[in-house]
């Protein structure tokens, strides 16, 4: 049985990958920096690891991979992406795959100004986007959305300027070099998953979504041929590796992309429930040379919390020893 490592299993992305691989023919090892990370107790073997900012992070992942015989790593946290992208050569030398795009693509995906510039340079619709530090008179479209240029998640740190006076006020209070001002696009919001290798997009799933506190709360899987074709053309220009998530809004039938995530998404398991299992397709492609055959059923997906009860002795063991075995609980 082949072994896969999933990182960041305390967060929504890592857990969504775990759920998609549970019940498959793969053995999954979960890692996280926190002893109380939920996903650590949903796998057969789990380890605590340093945070991605720690110079020992890559060495520790490689050490665990060698010990467990792992052949593939799925990153589950955004701060890990540039670290894995820079170290992918070390993993390949060790005979391992990492589901990670090259550094240039990771950088574009983490930089909302670079995302807009990429889309504009390739002739794709995109909301007009400027740095907050630019001349406010250069921005004439209101209301406008202000958001962190790099980082940011779940709509945290996002503001709306309805007038030029609002914009000037925000420019006085926010870190202007790390904020962008973006034309507000009103319309249905979609999150679109894709599987990509060697410059080819093998398939796209389109899900209209309703958000609550920045997270997808309800998702509606739709078969939208024109939107799928549009995302496919964007992916073939961007050329990510493995999973790539595209977030967009439709205005007057025109899709405006406002964000890429060069990784699996927090809605990955929602997609798997509809038959579009990105982690499994990626694993089968890299480890079994099976070409992805993506399909998706139209359905409504409603999300809810599920509790996990873990004995205190197991949490203590993870905190003290940094690893545990067995008693995996289904997420």
């Amino acid at each position: 049985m082949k072994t896969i490592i999933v990182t960041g299993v305390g967060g929504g992305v890592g857990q969504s990958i775990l759920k998609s691989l549970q019940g498959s023919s793969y053995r999954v090892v979960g890692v996280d920096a926190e002893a109380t990370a939920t996903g650590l107790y949903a796998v057969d073997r789990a380890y605590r690891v340093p945070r991605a900012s720690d110079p020992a992070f890559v060495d520790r992942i490689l050490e665990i991979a060698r010990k467990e015989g792992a052949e593939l790593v799925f990153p589950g946290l955004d701060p890990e992406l540039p670290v894995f992208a820079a170290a992918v050569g070390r993993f390949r030398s060790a005979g391992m795959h990492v589901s990670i795009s090259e550094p240039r693509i990771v950088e574009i995906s983490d930089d909302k100004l670079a995302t807009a510039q990429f889309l504009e340079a390739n002739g794709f619709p995109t909301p007009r986007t400027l740095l907050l530090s630019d001349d406010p008179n250069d921005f004439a479209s209101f209301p406008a959305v202000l958001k962190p240029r790099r980082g940011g998640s779940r709509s945290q740190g996002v503001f709306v300027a309805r007038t030029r006076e609002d914009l000037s006020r925000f420019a006085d209070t926010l870190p202007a070099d790390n904020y962008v001002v973006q034309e507000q696009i009103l319309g249905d919001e979609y999150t679109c998953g894709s599987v990509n290798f060697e410059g080819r997009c093998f398939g796209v799933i389109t899900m209209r979504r309703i958000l609550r506190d920045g997270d997808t709360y309800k998702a509606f899987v739709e078969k939208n041929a024109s939107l799928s074709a549009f995302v496919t053309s964007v992916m073939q220009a961007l050329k990510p590796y493995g999973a790539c998530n595209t977030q967009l809004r439709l205005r007057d039938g025109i899709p405006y992309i406002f964000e890429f995530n060069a990784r699996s998404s927090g809605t990955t398991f929602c997609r798997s429930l509809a038959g579009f299992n990105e982690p499994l397709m990626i694993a089968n492609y890299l480890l079994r040379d099976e070409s992805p055959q993506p399909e998706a059923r139209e359905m409504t997906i409603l999300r809810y919390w599920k509790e996990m009860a873990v004995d205190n002795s197991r949490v203590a063991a993870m905190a003290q020893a940094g690893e545990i075995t067995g008693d995996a609980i289904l997420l």
Side-chain angles (χ1 to χ4, degrees):
M1 180 178 290
K2 293 180 181 293
T3 298
I4 296 171
I5 291 176
V6 179
T7 72
V9 295
V13 173
Q15 290 174 24
S16 204
I17 297 169
L18 285 185
K19 292 178 184 179
S20 297
L21 293 173
Q22 280 183 333
S24 73
S25 60
Y26 294 102
R27 173 176 175 263
V28 180
V29 173
V31 305
D32 199 280
E34 296 288 340
T36 52
T38 305
L40 294 176
Y41 305 94
V43 290
D44 293 322
R45 186 75 171 167
Y47 294 85
R48 285 185 68 196
V49 297
R51 299 187 186 278
S53 57
D54 191 317
F57 175 77
V58 171
D59 288 337
R60 180 57 175 153
I61 299 296
L62 282 166
E63 179 185 13
I64 294 169
R66 285 190 288 267
K67 180 178 178 180
E68 298 293 338
E71 299 178 55
L72 171 61
V73 177
F74 278 105
L77 291 174
D78 283 339
E80 298 174 348
L81 302 184
V83 178
F84 276 117
V88 70
R90 294 185 61 190
F91 286 89
R92 288 175 179 164
S93 296
M96 292 187 60
H97 299 278
V98 182
S99 183
I100 189 70
S101 294
E102 62 182 70
R104 177 187 67 87
I105 296 168
V106 171
E107 172 62 23
I108 289 173
S109 300
D110 189 50
D111 185 329
K112 294 176 182 64
L113 181 63
T115 295
Q117 291 171 337
F118 164 82
L119 291 165
E120 185 175 9
N122 285 275
F124 299 114
T126 185
R128 186 165 188 237
T129 306
L130 298 173
L131 277 175
L132 182 56
S133 57
D134 291 337
D135 186 346
N137 292 316
D138 289 341
F139 204 88
S141 178
F142 291 93
V145 180
L146 295 92
K147 57 182 73 172
R149 175 181 178 179
R150 295 185 177 88
S153 63
R154 300 175 60 222
S155 299
Q156 294 179 355
V158 176
F159 306 93
V160 176
R162 303 195 178 280
T163 65
R164 194 174 304 282
E165 290 71 26
D166 285 347
L167 186 57
S168 296
R169 178 169 52 84
F170 281 122
D172 291 337
T173 59
L174 296 172
D177 286 333
N178 191 41
Y179 260 78
V180 296
V181 186
Q182 194 168 73
E183 173 189 7
Q184 187 178 46
I185 304 295
L186 298 177
D188 287 339
E189 183 167 332
Y190 285 79
T191 178
C192 305
S194 60
V195 175
N196 312 269
F197 291 106
E198 313 303 333
R200 176 184 172 188
C201 178
F202 283 87
V204 172
I205 180 172
T206 58
M207 297 198 311
R208 182 169 54 86
R209 67 176 182 170
I210 297 174
L211 298 176
R212 175 178 285 183
D213 297 328
D215 284 330
T216 300
Y217 171 56
K218 298 178 182 180
F220 309 91
V221 182
E222 300 177 355
K223 290 191 175 180
N224 188 322
S226 61
L227 188 54
S228 294
F230 170 75
V231 174
T232 296
S233 65
V234 175
M235 291 298 98
Q236 292 183 167
L238 184 63
K239 296 179 173 55
Y241 184 91
C244 187
N245 183 54
T246 302
Q247 297 179 24
L248 58 86
R249 284 184 180 269
L250 280 181
R251 184 176 69 186
D252 298 328
I254 299 173
Y256 290 84
I257 293 173
F258 58 87
E259 186 170 322
F260 294 127
N261 300 123
R263 52 160 170 76
S264 296
S265 162
T267 56
T268 290
F269 185 59
C270 297
R271 297 164 184 171
S272 296
L273 291 172
F276 194 96
N277 191 325
E278 295 168 25
L280 190 57
M281 285 189 281
I282 290 168
N284 287 343
Y285 179 86
L286 294 174
L287 303 183
R288 293 179 175 161
D289 200 28
E290 295 180 9
S291 181
Q293 301 293 329
E295 294 184 5
R297 300 182 299 276
E298 290 189 301
M299 61 174 55
T300 295
I301 297 172
L302 311 175
R303 306 183 86 179
Y304 69 101
W305 286 98
K306 182 178 179 180
E307 288 70 23
M308 174 186 286
V310 181
D311 193 273
N312 283 344
S313 64
R314 290 181 58 71
V315 177
M318 175 58 75
Q320 294 167 12
E323 60 184 87
I324 56 173
T325 303
D327 294 337
I329 303 172
L330 290 178
L331 284 170

